[in-house]
Amino acid sequence: GAVVSQHPSWVICKSGTSVKIECRSLDFQATTMFWYRQFPKQSLMLMATSNEGSKATYEQGVEKDKFLINHASLTLSTLTVTSAHPEDSSFYICSARDKESGNTIYFGEGSWLTVV
Amino acid sequence: GDSVTQMEGPVTLSEEAFLTINCTYTATGYPSLFWYVQYPGEGLQLLLKATKADDKGSNKGFEATYRKETTSFHLEKGSVQVSDSAVYFCALSGGGGGNKLTFGTGTQLKVEL
């Protein structure tokens, strides 16, 4: 079946540095990808909708300058957490919409980010 | 705004036990309701869905019925297996938030021999 892969699965970075998380659709083209964040014991919260070839649409309260999203191709979207702080430590999940299969949404495995 | 509330875990059951994971929602309009499952080390997968009141979604022995009168979509399975151990997420879309998915917090299920 369709697969969405995230990389890295987990990452530790120092405060003040930037970290990039990749989301790839492995066997389908995804014009739309979504980025979520989940804090412990809380819901997955939609951060932004990533559209290939155009600017991402951010949810209210999400800082677009801090969470940079680039959807440069039909199979890749990246989330860059800039100037990371410990409060950015979270579980980040992406999903991708497959238009060819009736807009089915497939999720990645998630990426654990720890900022120390 | 839209919200989904599901029971906290972890839920620990013996194999062949009956499973219920409660899910209630708040939304305007007529949302579609979903259950997603995340097995260890994998991404979320759609388990089942229901798009209108009284619909029953079913898959792999799991069932959930869209109850508009109680705004609920409880997940049930008559006899769980060790391989059902995973995190289960209730979600909705098509309410006040449009086509965006709104998730519950997830419920971890552990099935033991």
Side-chain angles (χ1 to χ4, degrees):
Chain A
V3 176
V4 173
S5 177
Q6 278 184 244
H7 178 81
S9 300
W10 56 272
V11 57
I12 300 173
C13 71
K14 292 184 177 180
S15 276
T17 63
S18 296
V19 60
K20 180 185 289 186
I21 300 170
E22 295 184 347
C23 178
R24 293 181 185 272
S25 57
L26 298 186
D27 52 4
F28 66 96
Q29 294 183 333
T31 54
T32 304
M33 291 184 172
F34 306 88
W35 286 96
Y36 295 83
R37 177 170 57 182
Q38 185 181 29
F39 292 107
K41 299 193 176 183
Q42 296 186 27
S43 301
L44 276 76
M45 300 299 296
L46 179 64
M47 299 175 65
T49 301
S50 169
N51 300 296
E52 188 268 335
S54 64
K55 291 182 179 180
T57 303
Y58 289 81
E59 295 300 300
Q60 192 172 7
V62 178
E63 299 175 60
K64 60 181 69 175
D65 293 332
K66 180 168 184 62
F67 299 99
L68 300 179
I69 291 173
N70 186 290
H71 193 156
S73 77
L74 287 170
T75 59
L76 174 65
S77 176
T78 60
L79 169 67
T80 301
V81 182
T82 62
S83 187
H85 289 95
E87 57 264 32
D88 298 324
S89 300
S90 186
F91 188 52
Y92 293 88
I93 303 175
C94 74
S95 66
R97 176 180 288 151
D98 181 3
K99 273 192 169 181
E100 298 300 319
S101 71
N103 286 323
T104 302
I105 293 178
Y106 300 97
F107 283 81
E109 315 95 318
S111 300
W112 284 102
L113 168 63
T114 300
V115 184
V116 298
Chain B
D2 298 343
S3 67
V4 176
T5 303
Q6 59 183 109
M7 61 192 289
E8 283 194 31
V11 173
T12 302
L13 296 174
S14 298
E15 203 169 39
E16 299 183 2
F18 184 86
L19 168 72
T20 300
I21 300 178
N22 290 336
C23 170
T24 57
Y25 68 90
T26 302
T28 56
Y30 302 93
S32 294
L33 303 175
F34 307 85
W35 276 101
Y36 284 85
V37 58
Q38 185 174 30
Y39 299 104
E42 300 182 18
L44 275 73
Q45 304 171 26
L46 180 63
L47 179 61
L48 54 85
K49 67 179 183 180
T51 57
K52 61 182 188 297
D54 300 325
D55 268 2
K56 178 186 286 187
S58 61
N59 185 25
K60 300 181 180 179
F62 291 89
E63 293 182 341
T65 301
Y66 189 144
R67 300 287 187 199
K68 191 167 178 62
E69 64 275 15
T70 54
T71 61
S72 65
F73 193 55
H74 304 321
L75 182 68
E76 296 181 335
K77 186 174 186 181
S79 176
V80 294
Q81 306 299 312
V82 172
S83 56
D84 293 325
S85 298
V87 181
Y88 293 82
F89 292 89
C90 187
L92 69 82
S93 74
N99 289 325
K100 301 169 189 172
L101 279 167
T102 299
F103 287 90
T105 53
T107 301
Q108 184 176 11
L109 170 66
K110 297 179 182 177
V111 181
E112 301 172 335
L113 291 171

